[in-house]
Amino acid sequence: MAYYLTQASYSPEAWKAQTQNPQDRSQQIGGLLEAAGGRLIGLYFAFGEYDLVLISEAPDNATVASVLIAATASGAVSNIKTTPLMSYEEGLSAIKTAGSINYKPPQ
């Protein structure tokens, strides 16, 4: 399974709803991921450009995208950015493989 880092912003309406009735949304997003064959690893609040950071695991890009599209369609979140993650071991393997590739840039 692949890992994903997702950053998102709450809409003003979602912030209003949360301040009037605070809810742990990790169970809902975790349930959506599980129903699609994935898993929630962590959900965090953040400062700055994004309000939320989500670490998830899913079988493929389409799975995580479908969950995020559904969340976005609700109007509660926007400004979503998702970054596929590699394990450190996968990254080292990619670096080793890159070292054996003889690439010459166009001139």
Side-chain angles (χ1 to χ4, degrees):
M1 287 231 240
Y3 293 93
Y4 299 88
L5 165 74
T6 300
Q7 298 165 283
S9 300
Y10 267 142
S11 68
E13 295 80 15
W15 275 122
K16 182 177 181 181
Q18 279 285 42
T19 59
Q20 291 175 348
N21 181 24
Q23 296 179 15
D24 179 355
R25 305 304 287 171
S26 64
Q27 292 180 355
Q28 184 172 10
I29 194 72
L32 291 173
L33 282 162
E34 287 177 19
R39 178 172 73 100
L40 174 66
I41 295 172
L43 179 62
Y44 307 90
F45 283 105
F47 296 108
E49 184 178 353
Y50 299 99
D51 302 317
L52 303 166
V53 174
L54 168 74
I55 305 291
S56 61
E57 183 179 37
D60 52 47
N61 293 341
T63 299
V64 77
S66 67
V67 171
L68 297 172
I69 290 167
T72 303
S74 75
V77 293
S78 64
N79 195 28
I80 293 182
K81 175 182 175 183
T82 300
T83 305
L85 303 173
M86 289 190 293
S87 69
Y88 196 78
E89 292 78 16
E90 288 174 311
L92 284 177
S93 176
I95 291 167
K96 289 176 184 175
T97 301
S100 67
I101 297 172
N102 187 15
Y103 174 76
K104 294 181 181 168
Q107 297 186 29

